[in-house]
Amino acid sequence: MRIIFKDKKNSSGTIKDGEIVLYISSRLPKAVQARHIEQLTQRLAPRLERARRAALSGQDPLLGLTPSPVTDDAALEAWARRINAQFYGFRMGRVRFRKQESRWGSCSGRTRNIQISHRLRGGPHELLEYVLIHEIAHLGELNHSSRFWTLVERACPDWRERRRLLRRYEEYLKSLPAAEGSLSTTANFSRQRAFAEEGDGRDGRL
């Protein structure tokens, strides 16, 4: 476990490269810092243990998910344009994979470009599809209002379940040791597919 003291109001924690990482407010009294460390560790430790067990278990594929054949920008953009033409008809810019660690995808309201995290390249096809639809829907609604989710549901009726699985997948990736996590998503997916434990996938925060 790593503990990093930062000049910020709140304390928070996450799982990264196979270990718990805590960001503790340096503004707090020592006793409060100690309490935050204990509470965040108690919250995150079970998640890390579940992820490690799942990664080693060799279970069946993650609820039937399969590796995506979409592994390059040309195939990704062609797929996005087919989805857009079938369900939306929005004006769309370029669509590509980009190295993004903190988010799964992004959409620019100015350029109409869509970027999808490299972590989904060759990863679970159903999750890549959900993220792609999510970002295409942002071309119509640059927010997460009820109107936005109605757009998502038009092309992805089971988006709630896919979002839940995406959170589980993110938690799994964070549980991998740094060396293993640096492998390509495609090469690692045979082990990633085993990760199907329950949980909400969100980082701890106090």
Side-chain angles (χ1 to χ4, degrees):
M1 181 174 70
R2 281 188 292 152
I3 300 175
I4 301 171
F5 292 94
K6 301 188 71 173
D7 183 16
K8 62 175 192 170
K9 182 178 179 180
N10 300 312
S11 298
S12 61
T14 188
I15 296 173
K16 183 177 182 181
D17 297 337
E19 68 176 342
I20 293 172
V21 181
L22 303 182
Y23 301 95
I24 305 300
S25 171
S26 60
R27 305 176 188 177
L28 300 172
K30 296 291 185 183
V32 177
Q33 289 176 343
R35 187 168 70 250
H36 282 191
I37 290 171
E38 180 181 5
Q39 292 174 344
L40 287 167
T41 301
Q42 290 176 349
R43 185 180 303 175
L44 293 169
R47 283 176 45 196
L48 180 58
E49 181 57 28
R50 286 196 303 269
R52 285 173 172 169
R53 288 200 310 268
L56 296 173
S57 66
Q59 298 171 0
D60 290 335
L62 172 58
L63 298 184
L65 302 187
T66 53
S68 178
V70 179
T71 58
D72 60 71
D73 291 346
L76 182 69
E77 182 162 328
W79 189 18
R81 294 193 181 281
R82 288 196 300 272
I83 293 172
N84 186 42
Q86 181 177 354
F87 295 102
Y88 303 111
F90 297 137
R91 183 171 60 85
M92 178 185 291
R94 301 187 64 181
V95 183
R96 65 188 71 180
F97 287 108
R98 279 293 177 268
K99 185 175 177 59
Q100 294 184 143
E101 298 287 353
S102 62
R103 59 178 65 185
W104 289 111
S106 59
C107 172
S108 169
R110 181 178 62 84
T111 65
R112 316 289 287 180
N113 291 340
I114 290 173
Q115 299 187 109
I116 303 297
S117 172
H118 68 290
R119 296 175 294 164
L120 286 169
R121 188 194 299 264
H125 190 68
E126 295 84 351
L127 303 188
L128 173 57
E129 182 178 44
Y130 163 67
V131 173
L132 189 58
I133 290 170
H134 184 112
E135 298 308 328
I136 293 172
H138 275 311
L139 295 174
E141 290 287 340
L142 286 171
N143 52 58
H144 288 101
S145 65
S146 60
R147 293 189 302 274
F148 167 79
W149 291 111
T150 297
L151 289 174
V152 172
E153 190 160 349
R154 185 185 302 175
C156 186
D158 62 342
W159 63 266
R160 292 177 180 83
E161 175 63 10
R162 297 202 202 190
R163 183 176 63 173
R164 185 187 72 82
L165 291 174
L166 186 65
R167 288 170 175 169
R168 309 309 316 125
Y169 185 64
E170 180 170 29
E171 186 175 319
Y172 173 84
L173 292 180
K174 288 182 177 182
S175 77
L176 296 176
E180 184 176 357
S182 67
L183 297 175
S184 71
T185 306
T186 305
N188 245 357
F189 188 55
S190 62
R191 294 186 65 194
Q192 293 167 2
R193 292 165 72 183
F195 186 67
E197 296 288 331
E198 289 298 322
D200 68 2
R202 290 172 290 187
D203 295 341
R205 187 175 299 277
L206 292 174

